[in-house]
Each structure stands twice: as structure tokens, then as C-alpha cells.
Amino acid sequence: QVQLVESGGGLVQAGGSLRLSCAASGRTFNNNAMGWFRQAPGKEREFVAAIMWSGGTTYYADSVKDRFTISRDNAKNTVYLQMNSLKPEDTAVYYCAASSQFSSPSRLAVRYDYWGQGTQVTVSS
């Protein structure tokens, strides 16, 4: 059974930093794209960042570019999201996602087959 388990969320003041981790089990995703999405209350789930299987290509939403960094450690089957200069509008549940088919990253949620349960990130002003 494939599982993606996020960790690292929490409460932080504006301007602070958090590092999210997503550990995959049940299969390896060394050749597959992985990504992060988020959903704020009353809003649709939105793309945050994605990374190619090799880590060589990354995509970011304009709202997080230059503040967030996605990375992966294939040896640990884990993907990370380093979030700096956090803003109250970054408050959301953050979800890790993995594709079973595609090695190239995508901003489209439909390209990902596996999802974590989410971790809450709250940024206070």
C-alpha cells in the first residue's frame, strides 16, 4: 500500500520559516515527479511546487517563487518544501503528491495519483 506522510507543519509568525517533509512508502518514486499543493479554507486546492524525478527541473507557483524551495532525496524516498518569508496568505493545509506515470513535474493535480493526508501550516500576522 502506497502512503505519503507529510510532517513539519505548524504555527509560525509572518516572516518565519518552516520545512515540510513528505516520506513515501510502499513503492519508490525515484523516477516520478512529485509535488506540493495547498488548500486554504473556502478555496480550491492550488499548485505550490513540483520537482522532476532527478531533481533537475522544478516549477513554482508565482505566489511562492523566490520564497519556497522544493527538493528531494531519492535515497530516502522523501520530498521537502522549505518555506521562507512566510506570509499569512500562505496559511493552508499542504499536501504532498506523487505521480505513478510521469517523470516530468506538472502544475496539474490530475497528473498525480498519490496524495498525503495533509499538514496544517498557519502563519500569524
Side-chain angles (χ1 to χ4, degrees):
Q1 182 182 358
V2 176
Q3 278 192 314
L4 302 179
V5 179
E6 302 99 334
S7 61
L11 173 64
V12 64
Q13 287 189 333
S17 298
L18 283 174
R19 188 195 195 204
L20 305 184
S21 298
C22 171
S25 62
R27 62 162 284 178
T28 60
F29 291 96
N30 294 354
N31 295 316
N32 303 92
M34 298 187 75
W36 288 94
F37 290 76
R38 68 186 181 186
Q39 188 168 17
K43 295 188 177 181
E44 293 186 353
R45 189 173 298 190
E46 65 174 1
F47 169 77
V48 176
I51 188 166
M52 189 174 180
W53 69 273
S54 65
T57 300
T58 55
Y59 293 155
Y60 295 94
D62 288 342
S63 58
V64 306
K65 214 169 186 178
D66 299 325
R67 298 188 298 122
F68 291 10
T69 302
I70 187 171
S71 61
R72 64 191 297 167
D73 185 336
N74 286 339
K76 296 182 178 179
N77 220 21
T78 299
V79 65
Y80 305 96
L81 186 68
Q82 177 67 43
M83 305 186 296
N84 299 328
S85 302
L86 283 161
K87 304 176 180 179
E89 50 264 44
D90 294 319
T91 295
V93 177
Y94 283 71
Y95 297 91
C96 171
S99 173
S100 66
Q101 302 180 60
F102 301 102
S103 60
S104 296
S106 174
R107 297 177 174 87
L108 302 177
V110 294
R111 292 281 289 260
Y112 299 91
D113 309 281
Y114 302 105
W115 294 82
Q117 82 290 348
T119 185
Q120 177 71 46
V121 171
T122 303
V123 185
S124 64
S125 58

